[in-house]
Amino acid sequence: MRKWLSLRYWRNTFVRIYKLLIARDVAIIDKLLFLVPVILYWVLPDALPFLPIDDIAVTMLLADWFARRMEKKYNRL
């Protein structure tokens, strides 16, 4: 729980996301797997009215999931 509240952890996560999104060896489908849900949730927040999570929280959770998944898939640290 402590890492989820750490600004350093989230800064590093978003740096990892940026590097993964600009990397040439990461497939465009994998990049879209992160970008499309995040953009849709930011544009259409009422699409999931029974999910009381803020937009930035959804983005942060997806960013963490995406970074871990892509680093494991493409053997990056």
Side-chain angles (χ1 to χ4, degrees):
M1 181 66 177
R2 179 172 237 155
K3 76 175 185 176
W4 290 85
L5 299 176
S6 169
L7 291 177
R8 180 179 293 155
Y9 175 77
W10 290 112
R11 183 194 58 179
N12 290 337
T13 299
F14 284 107
V15 167
R16 290 170 30 216
I17 290 295
Y18 177 74
K19 288 179 182 179
L20 287 166
L21 289 176
I22 64 169
R24 293 186 186 268
D25 57 338
V26 177
I28 191 73
I29 294 294
D30 291 330
K31 294 175 186 180
L32 291 175
L33 187 64
F34 170 69
L35 290 174
V36 170
V38 168
I39 291 171
L40 283 177
Y41 195 81
W42 277 78
V43 174
L44 305 169
D46 296 328
L48 300 170
F50 301 112
L51 188 64
I53 300 176
D54 192 32
D55 298 345
I56 192 68
V58 170
T59 303
M60 292 169 70
L61 292 173
L62 283 175
D64 186 50
W65 170 80
F66 176 77
R68 284 187 283 116
R69 183 177 180 274
M70 290 300 113
E71 288 171 347
K72 184 186 289 186
K73 183 176 181 178
Y74 292 100
N75 294 324
R76 291 179 157 218
L77 293 176

mmCIF file of all heavy atoms in Angstrom, residues 13-60:
data_model
loop_
_atom_site.group_PDB
_atom_site.id
_atom_site.type_symbol
_atom_site.label_atom_id
_atom_site.label_comp_id
_atom_site.label_asym_id
_atom_site.label_seq_id
_atom_site.Cartn_x
_atom_site.Cartn_y
_atom_site.Cartn_z
ATOM 1 N N THR A 13 6.721 5.140 -12.810
ATOM 2 C CA THR A 13 5.765 4.402 -13.641
ATOM 3 C C THR A 13 5.453 5.172 -14.912
ATOM 4 O O THR A 13 5.447 4.602 -16.004
ATOM 5 C CB THR A 13 4.463 4.122 -12.863
ATOM 6 O OG1 THR A 13 4.765 3.324 -11.724
ATOM 7 C CG2 THR A 13 3.447 3.408 -13.725
ATOM 8 N N PHE A 14 5.214 6.466 -14.802
ATOM 9 C CA PHE A 14 4.885 7.241 -15.996
ATOM 10 C C PHE A 14 6.098 7.453 -16.899
ATOM 11 O O PHE A 14 5.949 7.553 -18.113
ATOM 12 C CB PHE A 14 4.215 8.553 -15.620
ATOM 13 C CG PHE A 14 2.780 8.346 -15.216
ATOM 14 C CD1 PHE A 14 2.392 8.456 -13.896
ATOM 15 C CD2 PHE A 14 1.828 7.989 -16.152
ATOM 16 C CE1 PHE A 14 1.078 8.234 -13.518
ATOM 17 C CE2 PHE A 14 0.512 7.764 -15.797
ATOM 18 C CZ PHE A 14 0.130 7.880 -14.467
ATOM 19 N N VAL A 15 7.292 7.454 -16.343
ATOM 20 C CA VAL A 15 8.499 7.491 -17.176
ATOM 21 C C VAL A 15 8.618 6.180 -17.947
ATOM 22 O O VAL A 15 8.926 6.177 -19.142
ATOM 23 C CB VAL A 15 9.756 7.750 -16.313
ATOM 24 C CG1 VAL A 15 11.028 7.480 -17.089
ATOM 25 C CG2 VAL A 15 9.742 9.171 -15.788
ATOM 26 N N ARG A 16 8.348 5.061 -17.280
ATOM 27 C CA ARG A 16 8.370 3.757 -17.945
ATOM 28 C C ARG A 16 7.324 3.692 -19.050
ATOM 29 O O ARG A 16 7.586 3.168 -20.138
ATOM 30 C CB ARG A 16 8.136 2.641 -16.926
ATOM 31 C CG ARG A 16 9.296 2.467 -15.985
ATOM 32 C CD ARG A 16 9.037 1.553 -14.803
ATOM 33 N NE ARG A 16 8.103 0.479 -14.999
ATOM 34 C CZ ARG A 16 7.266 0.049 -14.052
ATOM 35 N NH1 ARG A 16 7.251 0.609 -12.862
ATOM 36 N NH2 ARG A 16 6.443 -0.950 -14.294
ATOM 37 N N ILE A 17 6.135 4.225 -18.782
ATOM 38 C CA ILE A 17 5.064 4.240 -19.786
ATOM 39 C C ILE A 17 5.506 5.041 -21.010
ATOM 40 O O ILE A 17 5.334 4.602 -22.147
ATOM 41 C CB ILE A 17 3.767 4.846 -19.197
ATOM 42 C CG1 ILE A 17 3.165 3.897 -18.187
ATOM 43 C CG2 ILE A 17 2.758 5.177 -20.285
ATOM 44 C CD1 ILE A 17 2.687 2.603 -18.771
ATOM 45 N N TYR A 18 6.080 6.200 -20.780
ATOM 46 C CA TYR A 18 6.527 7.035 -21.892
ATOM 47 C C TYR A 18 7.558 6.289 -22.741
ATOM 48 O O TYR A 18 7.479 6.282 -23.965
ATOM 49 C CB TYR A 18 7.107 8.352 -21.371
ATOM 50 C CG TYR A 18 7.640 9.224 -22.465
ATOM 51 C CD1 TYR A 18 6.780 9.903 -23.310
ATOM 52 C CD2 TYR A 18 9.011 9.356 -22.669
ATOM 53 C CE1 TYR A 18 7.270 10.701 -24.337
ATOM 54 C CE2 TYR A 18 9.512 10.138 -23.693
ATOM 55 C CZ TYR A 18 8.637 10.810 -24.523
ATOM 56 O OH TYR A 18 9.115 11.591 -25.538
ATOM 57 N N LYS A 19 8.523 5.660 -22.084
ATOM 58 C CA LYS A 19 9.555 4.921 -22.821
ATOM 59 C C LYS A 19 8.956 3.759 -23.605
ATOM 60 O O LYS A 19 9.386 3.477 -24.723
ATOM 61 C CB LYS A 19 10.622 4.416 -21.853
ATOM 62 C CG LYS A 19 11.501 5.519 -21.312
ATOM 63 C CD LYS A 19 12.525 4.982 -20.348
ATOM 64 C CE LYS A 19 13.378 6.111 -19.786
ATOM 65 N NZ LYS A 19 14.368 5.616 -18.816
ATOM 66 N N LEU A 20 7.977 3.088 -23.017
ATOM 67 C CA LEU A 20 7.328 1.982 -23.727
ATOM 68 C C LEU A 20 6.507 2.477 -24.915
ATOM 69 O O LEU A 20 6.467 1.829 -25.962
ATOM 70 C CB LEU A 20 6.447 1.191 -22.769
ATOM 71 C CG LEU A 20 7.183 0.312 -21.771
ATOM 72 C CD1 LEU A 20 6.240 -0.154 -20.677
ATOM 73 C CD2 LEU A 20 7.827 -0.868 -22.467
ATOM 74 N N LEU A 21 5.849 3.611 -24.773
ATOM 75 C CA LEU A 21 5.017 4.137 -25.853
ATOM 76 C C LEU A 21 5.840 4.649 -27.032
ATOM 77 O O LEU A 21 5.357 4.637 -28.167
ATOM 78 C CB LEU A 21 4.092 5.239 -25.338
ATOM 79 C CG LEU A 21 2.957 4.768 -24.428
ATOM 80 C CD1 LEU A 21 2.173 5.966 -23.911
ATOM 81 C CD2 LEU A 21 2.044 3.795 -25.148
ATOM 82 N N ILE A 22 7.063 5.095 -26.792
ATOM 83 C CA ILE A 22 7.887 5.577 -27.901
ATOM 84 C C ILE A 22 8.838 4.508 -28.425
ATOM 85 O O ILE A 22 9.495 4.725 -29.440
ATOM 86 C CB ILE A 22 8.678 6.852 -27.523
ATOM 87 C CG1 ILE A 22 9.679 6.582 -26.415
ATOM 88 C CG2 ILE A 22 7.748 7.980 -27.172
ATOM 89 C CD1 ILE A 22 10.650 7.716 -26.182
ATOM 90 N N ALA A 23 8.902 3.361 -27.761
ATOM 91 C CA ALA A 23 9.803 2.286 -28.191
ATOM 92 C C ALA A 23 9.333 1.689 -29.507
ATOM 93 O O ALA A 23 8.143 1.435 -29.702
ATOM 94 C CB ALA A 23 9.874 1.208 -27.120
ATOM 95 N N ARG A 24 10.272 1.457 -30.389
ATOM 96 C CA ARG A 24 9.937 0.900 -31.696
ATOM 97 C C ARG A 24 9.661 -0.602 -31.627
ATOM 98 O O ARG A 24 8.945 -1.123 -32.482
ATOM 99 C CB ARG A 24 11.066 1.154 -32.683
ATOM 100 C CG ARG A 24 11.233 2.612 -33.015
ATOM 101 C CD ARG A 24 12.280 2.775 -34.110
ATOM 102 N NE ARG A 24 12.555 4.162 -34.356
ATOM 103 C CZ ARG A 24 11.930 4.896 -35.265
ATOM 104 N NH1 ARG A 24 10.988 4.345 -35.983
ATOM 105 N NH2 ARG A 24 12.255 6.158 -35.446
ATOM 106 N N ASP A 25 10.222 -1.288 -30.658
ATOM 107 C CA ASP A 25 10.037 -2.737 -30.603
ATOM 108 C C ASP A 25 8.741 -3.164 -29.915
ATOM 109 O O ASP A 25 8.385 -4.337 -29.948
ATOM 110 C CB ASP A 25 11.240 -3.412 -29.940
ATOM 111 C CG ASP A 25 11.526 -2.895 -28.549
ATOM 112 O OD1 ASP A 25 11.097 -1.780 -28.246
ATOM 113 O OD2 ASP A 25 12.181 -3.617 -27.778
ATOM 114 N N VAL A 26 8.006 -2.220 -29.329
ATOM 115 C CA VAL A 26 6.701 -2.533 -28.738
ATOM 116 C C VAL A 26 5.652 -2.397 -29.836
ATOM 117 O O VAL A 26 5.572 -1.376 -30.517
ATOM 118 C CB VAL A 26 6.371 -1.583 -27.561
ATOM 119 C CG1 VAL A 26 4.989 -1.866 -27.007
ATOM 120 C CG2 VAL A 26 7.421 -1.715 -26.467
ATOM 121 N N ALA A 27 4.872 -3.447 -30.018
ATOM 122 C CA ALA A 27 3.878 -3.479 -31.098
ATOM 123 C C ALA A 27 2.812 -2.407 -30.886
ATOM 124 O O ALA A 27 2.443 -2.083 -29.754
ATOM 125 C CB ALA A 27 3.221 -4.854 -31.160
ATOM 126 N N ILE A 28 2.312 -1.878 -31.997
ATOM 127 C CA ILE A 28 1.285 -0.833 -31.937
ATOM 128 C C ILE A 28 0.017 -1.344 -31.264
ATOM 129 O O ILE A 28 -0.656 -0.601 -30.556
ATOM 130 C CB ILE A 28 0.992 -0.256 -33.346
ATOM 131 C CG1 ILE A 28 0.132 0.999 -33.253
ATOM 132 C CG2 ILE A 28 0.320 -1.266 -34.224
ATOM 133 C CD1 ILE A 28 0.831 2.202 -32.761
ATOM 134 N N ILE A 29 -0.294 -2.609 -31.438
ATOM 135 C CA ILE A 29 -1.469 -3.201 -30.777
ATOM 136 C C ILE A 29 -1.303 -3.142 -29.264
ATOM 137 O O ILE A 29 -2.266 -2.831 -28.541
ATOM 138 C CB ILE A 29 -1.666 -4.665 -31.251
ATOM 139 C CG1 ILE A 29 -2.031 -4.694 -32.727
ATOM 140 C CG2 ILE A 29 -2.711 -5.375 -30.420
ATOM 141 C CD1 ILE A 29 -3.371 -4.072 -33.058
ATOM 142 N N ASP A 30 -0.097 -3.420 -28.786
ATOM 143 C CA ASP A 30 0.150 -3.352 -27.350
ATOM 144 C C ASP A 30 0.041 -1.920 -26.826
ATOM 145 O O ASP A 30 -0.446 -1.688 -25.729
ATOM 146 C CB ASP A 30 1.528 -3.925 -27.016
ATOM 147 C CG ASP A 30 1.586 -5.427 -27.241
ATOM 148 O OD1 ASP A 30 0.539 -6.086 -27.089
ATOM 149 O OD2 ASP A 30 2.671 -5.931 -27.559
ATOM 150 N N LYS A 31 0.498 -0.974 -27.613
ATOM 151 C CA LYS A 31 0.378 0.429 -27.212
ATOM 152 C C LYS A 31 -1.084 0.857 -27.164
ATOM 153 O O LYS A 31 -1.501 1.562 -26.243
ATOM 154 C CB LYS A 31 1.157 1.329 -28.172
ATOM 155 C CG LYS A 31 2.652 1.112 -28.112
ATOM 156 C CD LYS A 31 3.361 1.931 -29.158
ATOM 157 C CE LYS A 31 4.838 1.617 -29.192
ATOM 158 N NZ LYS A 31 5.560 2.391 -30.200
ATOM 159 N N LEU A 32 -1.846 0.418 -28.145
ATOM 160 C CA LEU A 32 -3.269 0.757 -28.183
ATOM 161 C C LEU A 32 -4.032 0.090 -27.049
ATOM 162 O O LEU A 32 -5.057 0.607 -26.605
ATOM 163 C CB LEU A 32 -3.873 0.377 -29.528
ATOM 164 C CG LEU A 32 -3.417 1.211 -30.719
ATOM 165 C CD1 LEU A 32 -4.001 0.650 -32.016
ATOM 166 C CD2 LEU A 32 -3.794 2.664 -30.546
ATOM 167 N N LEU A 33 -3.538 -1.044 -26.570
ATOM 168 C CA LEU A 33 -4.159 -1.730 -25.447
ATOM 169 C C LEU A 33 -4.164 -0.851 -24.199
ATOM 170 O O LEU A 33 -5.047 -0.962 -23.351
ATOM 171 C CB LEU A 33 -3.414 -3.039 -25.168
ATOM 172 C CG LEU A 33 -4.000 -3.981 -24.138
ATOM 173 C CD1 LEU A 33 -5.358 -4.484 -24.598
ATOM 174 C CD2 LEU A 33 -3.057 -5.138 -23.915
ATOM 175 N N PHE A 34 -3.220 0.053 -24.110
ATOM 176 C CA PHE A 34 -3.177 1.015 -23.006
ATOM 177 C C PHE A 34 -3.908 2.306 -23.374
ATOM 178 O O PHE A 34 -4.717 2.819 -22.599
ATOM 179 C CB PHE A 34 -1.729 1.327 -22.630
ATOM 180 C CG PHE A 34 -1.588 2.480 -21.684
ATOM 181 C CD1 PHE A 34 -2.026 2.379 -20.374
ATOM 182 C CD2 PHE A 34 -1.031 3.672 -22.096
ATOM 183 C CE1 PHE A 34 -1.906 3.444 -19.495
ATOM 184 C CE2 PHE A 34 -0.903 4.737 -21.227
ATOM 185 C CZ PHE A 34 -1.343 4.618 -19.925
ATOM 186 N N LEU A 35 -3.628 2.837 -24.537
ATOM 187 C CA LEU A 35 -4.127 4.165 -24.899
ATOM 188 C C LEU A 35 -5.637 4.227 -25.109
ATOM 189 O O LEU A 35 -6.285 5.179 -24.662
ATOM 190 C CB LEU A 35 -3.417 4.665 -26.158
ATOM 191 C CG LEU A 35 -1.945 5.017 -25.982
ATOM 192 C CD1 LEU A 35 -1.330 5.357 -27.328
ATOM 193 C CD2 LEU A 35 -1.798 6.175 -25.020
ATOM 194 N N VAL A 36 -6.200 3.255 -25.781
ATOM 195 C CA VAL A 36 -7.630 3.306 -26.101
ATOM 196 C C VAL A 36 -8.505 3.304 -24.842
ATOM 197 O O VAL A 36 -9.372 4.174 -24.701
ATOM 198 C CB VAL A 36 -8.017 2.181 -27.083
ATOM 199 C CG1 VAL A 36 -9.516 2.061 -27.225
ATOM 200 C CG2 VAL A 36 -7.366 2.429 -28.433
ATOM 201 N N PRO A 37 -8.312 2.369 -23.895
ATOM 202 C CA PRO A 37 -9.165 2.428 -22.694
ATOM 203 C C PRO A 37 -8.986 3.709 -21.886
ATOM 204 O O PRO A 37 -9.960 4.263 -21.366
ATOM 205 C CB PRO A 37 -8.733 1.215 -21.871
ATOM 206 C CG PRO A 37 -8.048 0.314 -22.812
ATOM 207 C CD PRO A 37 -7.472 1.170 -23.885
ATOM 208 N N VAL A 38 -7.758 4.203 -21.798
ATOM 209 C CA VAL A 38 -7.516 5.427 -21.033
ATOM 210 C C VAL A 38 -8.205 6.612 -21.700
ATOM 211 O O VAL A 38 -8.903 7.387 -21.035
ATOM 212 C CB VAL A 38 -6.005 5.683 -20.868
ATOM 213 C CG1 VAL A 38 -5.737 7.080 -20.338
ATOM 214 C CG2 VAL A 38 -5.399 4.637 -19.947
ATOM 215 N N ILE A 39 -8.038 6.747 -22.989
ATOM 216 C CA ILE A 39 -8.666 7.876 -23.703
ATOM 217 C C ILE A 39 -10.183 7.775 -23.642
ATOM 218 O O ILE A 39 -10.874 8.771 -23.401
ATOM 219 C CB ILE A 39 -8.151 7.951 -25.152
ATOM 220 C CG1 ILE A 39 -6.677 8.361 -25.152
ATOM 221 C CG2 ILE A 39 -8.983 8.921 -25.978
ATOM 222 C CD1 ILE A 39 -5.998 8.256 -26.493
ATOM 223 N N LEU A 40 -10.702 6.574 -23.854
ATOM 224 C CA LEU A 40 -12.153 6.408 -23.779
ATOM 225 C C LEU A 40 -12.690 6.728 -22.389
ATOM 226 O O LEU A 40 -13.748 7.340 -22.256
ATOM 227 C CB LEU A 40 -12.553 4.988 -24.184
ATOM 228 C CG LEU A 40 -12.533 4.690 -25.668
ATOM 229 C CD1 LEU A 40 -12.879 3.225 -25.911
ATOM 230 C CD2 LEU A 40 -13.476 5.596 -26.421
ATOM 231 N N TYR A 41 -11.977 6.319 -21.363
ATOM 232 C CA TYR A 41 -12.467 6.595 -20.013
ATOM 233 C C TYR A 41 -12.398 8.086 -19.698
ATOM 234 O O TYR A 41 -13.228 8.602 -18.963
ATOM 235 C CB TYR A 41 -11.696 5.783 -18.973
ATOM 236 C CG TYR A 41 -12.420 5.770 -17.646
ATOM 237 C CD1 TYR A 41 -13.473 4.892 -17.434
ATOM 238 C CD2 TYR A 41 -12.097 6.669 -16.636
ATOM 239 C CE1 TYR A 41 -14.166 4.891 -16.246
ATOM 240 C CE2 TYR A 41 -12.786 6.671 -15.442
ATOM 241 C CZ TYR A 41 -13.813 5.778 -15.246
ATOM 242 O OH TYR A 41 -14.511 5.792 -14.078
ATOM 243 N N TRP A 42 -11.401 8.791 -20.242
ATOM 244 C CA TRP A 42 -11.316 10.229 -20.018
ATOM 245 C C TRP A 42 -12.401 10.977 -20.792
ATOM 246 O O TRP A 42 -12.932 11.972 -20.318
ATOM 247 C CB TRP A 42 -9.935 10.750 -20.419
ATOM 248 C CG TRP A 42 -8.932 10.555 -19.336
ATOM 249 C CD1 TRP A 42 -8.298 9.397 -19.028
ATOM 250 C CD2 TRP A 42 -8.465 11.522 -18.404
ATOM 251 N NE1 TRP A 42 -7.467 9.595 -17.966
ATOM 252 C CE2 TRP A 42 -7.534 10.887 -17.564
ATOM 253 C CE3 TRP A 42 -8.736 12.874 -18.209
ATOM 254 C CZ2 TRP A 42 -6.881 11.563 -16.541
ATOM 255 C CZ3 TRP A 42 -8.072 13.535 -17.189
ATOM 256 C CH2 TRP A 42 -7.159 12.884 -16.368
ATOM 257 N N VAL A 43 -12.722 10.493 -22.001
ATOM 258 C CA VAL A 43 -13.708 11.172 -22.839
ATOM 259 C C VAL A 43 -15.125 10.791 -22.450
ATOM 260 O O VAL A 43 -16.024 11.622 -22.444
ATOM 261 C CB VAL A 43 -13.450 10.863 -24.331
ATOM 262 C CG1 VAL A 43 -14.539 11.426 -25.213
ATOM 263 C CG2 VAL A 43 -12.098 11.406 -24.747
ATOM 264 N N LEU A 44 -15.336 9.535 -22.126
ATOM 265 C CA LEU A 44 -16.670 9.026 -21.805
ATOM 266 C C LEU A 44 -16.741 8.509 -20.362
ATOM 267 O O LEU A 44 -16.948 7.326 -20.137
ATOM 268 C CB LEU A 44 -17.031 7.869 -22.750
ATOM 269 C CG LEU A 44 -16.951 8.156 -24.238
ATOM 270 C CD1 LEU A 44 -17.077 6.872 -25.020
ATOM 271 C CD2 LEU A 44 -18.026 9.140 -24.630
ATOM 272 N N PRO A 45 -16.594 9.359 -19.380
ATOM 273 C CA PRO A 45 -16.586 8.864 -17.997
ATOM 274 C C PRO A 45 -17.939 8.322 -17.550
ATOM 275 O O PRO A 45 -18.019 7.548 -16.607
ATOM 276 C CB PRO A 45 -16.198 10.087 -17.176
ATOM 277 C CG PRO A 45 -16.619 11.240 -18.006
ATOM 278 C CD PRO A 45 -16.436 10.801 -19.438
ATOM 279 N N ASP A 46 -18.996 8.704 -18.230
ATOM 280 C CA ASP A 46 -20.313 8.219 -17.845
ATOM 281 C C ASP A 46 -20.635 6.852 -18.435
ATOM 282 O O ASP A 46 -21.697 6.299 -18.176
ATOM 283 C CB ASP A 46 -21.387 9.214 -18.272
ATOM 284 C CG ASP A 46 -21.229 10.533 -17.535
ATOM 285 O OD1 ASP A 46 -20.776 10.496 -16.382
ATOM 286 O OD2 ASP A 46 -21.555 11.572 -18.125
ATOM 287 N N ALA A 47 -19.707 6.293 -19.216
ATOM 288 C CA ALA A 47 -19.936 4.976 -19.797
ATOM 289 C C ALA A 47 -19.969 3.903 -18.713
ATOM 290 O O ALA A 47 -20.607 2.881 -18.875
ATOM 291 C CB ALA A 47 -18.856 4.656 -20.820
ATOM 292 N N LEU A 48 -19.279 4.126 -17.631
ATOM 293 C CA LEU A 48 -19.264 3.191 -16.511
ATOM 294 C C LEU A 48 -19.755 3.905 -15.247
ATOM 295 O O LEU A 48 -18.986 4.189 -14.340
ATOM 296 C CB LEU A 48 -17.847 2.645 -16.292
ATOM 297 C CG LEU A 48 -17.236 1.899 -17.466
ATOM 298 C CD1 LEU A 48 -15.770 1.637 -17.222
ATOM 299 C CD2 LEU A 48 -17.972 0.609 -17.708
ATOM 300 N N PRO A 49 -21.036 4.196 -15.171
ATOM 301 C CA PRO A 49 -21.537 5.009 -14.052
ATOM 302 C C PRO A 49 -21.478 4.319 -12.694
ATOM 303 O O PRO A 49 -21.466 4.974 -11.672
ATOM 304 C CB PRO A 49 -22.981 5.296 -14.446
ATOM 305 C CG PRO A 49 -23.352 4.160 -15.325
ATOM 306 C CD PRO A 49 -22.089 3.790 -16.074
ATOM 307 N N PHE A 50 -21.400 3.009 -12.675
ATOM 308 C CA PHE A 50 -21.384 2.303 -11.398
ATOM 309 C C PHE A 50 -19.972 2.036 -10.890
ATOM 310 O O PHE A 50 -19.789 1.335 -9.914
ATOM 311 C CB PHE A 50 -22.149 0.982 -11.523
ATOM 312 C CG PHE A 50 -23.574 1.199 -11.945
ATOM 313 C CD1 PHE A 50 -24.005 0.790 -13.190
ATOM 314 C CD2 PHE A 50 -24.466 1.847 -11.098
ATOM 315 C CE1 PHE A 50 -25.318 1.005 -13.586
ATOM 316 C CE2 PHE A 50 -25.775 2.064 -11.485
ATOM 317 C CZ PHE A 50 -26.203 1.641 -12.728
ATOM 318 N N LEU A 51 -18.983 2.577 -11.572
ATOM 319 C CA LEU A 51 -17.601 2.437 -11.164
ATOM 320 C C LEU A 51 -17.131 3.782 -10.618
ATOM 321 O O LEU A 51 -16.715 4.651 -11.379
ATOM 322 C CB LEU A 51 -16.738 2.001 -12.354
ATOM 323 C CG LEU A 51 -15.307 1.634 -12.070
ATOM 324 C CD1 LEU A 51 -15.246 0.397 -11.176
ATOM 325 C CD2 LEU A 51 -14.593 1.342 -13.371
ATOM 326 N N PRO A 52 -17.198 3.977 -9.303
ATOM 327 C CA PRO A 52 -16.905 5.299 -8.734
ATOM 328 C C PRO A 52 -15.407 5.560 -8.548
ATOM 329 O O PRO A 52 -14.935 5.798 -7.451
ATOM 330 C CB PRO A 52 -17.620 5.240 -7.382
ATOM 331 C CG PRO A 52 -17.522 3.802 -7.002
ATOM 332 C CD PRO A 52 -17.632 3.029 -8.287
ATOM 333 N N ILE A 53 -14.665 5.469 -9.645
ATOM 334 C CA ILE A 53 -13.228 5.736 -9.590
ATOM 335 C C ILE A 53 -12.951 6.937 -10.482
ATOM 336 O O ILE A 53 -13.471 7.028 -11.593
ATOM 337 C CB ILE A 53 -12.415 4.514 -10.059
ATOM 338 C CG1 ILE A 53 -12.702 3.312 -9.169
ATOM 339 C CG2 ILE A 53 -10.931 4.814 -10.057
ATOM 340 C CD1 ILE A 53 -12.020 2.047 -9.602
ATOM 341 N N ASP A 54 -12.125 7.821 -10.003
ATOM 342 C CA ASP A 54 -11.784 9.024 -10.740
ATOM 343 C C ASP A 54 -10.967 8.674 -11.991
ATOM 344 O O ASP A 54 -10.334 7.626 -12.068
ATOM 345 C CB ASP A 54 -10.991 9.955 -9.833
ATOM 346 C CG ASP A 54 -10.841 11.335 -10.424
ATOM 347 O OD1 ASP A 54 -11.750 11.772 -11.143
ATOM 348 O OD2 ASP A 54 -9.807 11.969 -10.159
ATOM 349 N N ASP A 55 -10.967 9.565 -12.966
ATOM 350 C CA ASP A 55 -10.255 9.349 -14.223
ATOM 351 C C ASP A 55 -8.764 9.107 -14.003
ATOM 352 O O ASP A 55 -8.177 8.225 -14.621
ATOM 353 C CB ASP A 55 -10.436 10.543 -15.155
ATOM 354 C CG ASP A 55 -11.877 10.764 -15.535
ATOM 355 O OD1 ASP A 55 -12.690 9.845 -15.319
ATOM 356 O OD2 ASP A 55 -12.192 11.853 -16.033
ATOM 357 N N ILE A 56 -8.149 9.906 -13.159
ATOM 358 C CA ILE A 56 -6.709 9.759 -12.937
ATOM 359 C C ILE A 56 -6.399 8.439 -12.236
ATOM 360 O O ILE A 56 -5.373 7.823 -12.496
ATOM 361 C CB ILE A 56 -6.116 10.965 -12.169
ATOM 362 C CG1 ILE A 56 -4.600 10.942 -12.212
ATOM 363 C CG2 ILE A 56 -6.598 11.007 -10.745
ATOM 364 C CD1 ILE A 56 -4.017 11.185 -13.565
ATOM 365 N N ALA A 57 -7.286 7.961 -11.391
ATOM 366 C CA ALA A 57 -7.075 6.677 -10.723
ATOM 367 C C ALA A 57 -7.098 5.534 -11.735
ATOM 368 O O ALA A 57 -6.263 4.631 -11.678
ATOM 369 C CB ALA A 57 -8.123 6.461 -9.642
ATOM 370 N N VAL A 58 -8.032 5.585 -12.662
ATOM 371 C CA VAL A 58 -8.099 4.558 -13.707
ATOM 372 C C VAL A 58 -6.836 4.613 -14.561
ATOM 373 O O VAL A 58 -6.241 3.580 -14.878
ATOM 374 C CB VAL A 58 -9.360 4.748 -14.580
ATOM 375 C CG1 VAL A 58 -9.324 3.847 -15.800
ATOM 376 C CG2 VAL A 58 -10.600 4.490 -13.758
ATOM 377 N N THR A 59 -6.406 5.805 -14.913
ATOM 378 C CA THR A 59 -5.196 5.967 -15.708
ATOM 379 C C THR A 59 -3.984 5.417 -14.972
ATOM 380 O O THR A 59 -3.159 4.719 -15.557
ATOM 381 C CB THR A 59 -4.974 7.449 -16.053
ATOM 382 O OG1 THR A 59 -6.130 7.939 -16.737
ATOM 383 C CG2 THR A 59 -3.744 7.638 -16.906
ATOM 384 N N MET A 60 -3.879 5.702 -13.692
ATOM 385 C CA MET A 60 -2.737 5.230 -12.912
ATOM 386 C C MET A 60 -2.744 3.710 -12.776
ATOM 387 O O MET A 60 -1.693 3.075 -12.888
ATOM 388 C CB MET A 60 -2.725 5.908 -11.546
ATOM 389 C CG MET A 60 -2.417 7.386 -11.639
ATOM 390 S SD MET A 60 -2.699 8.301 -10.131
ATOM 391 C CE MET A 60 -1.387 7.695 -9.110
#
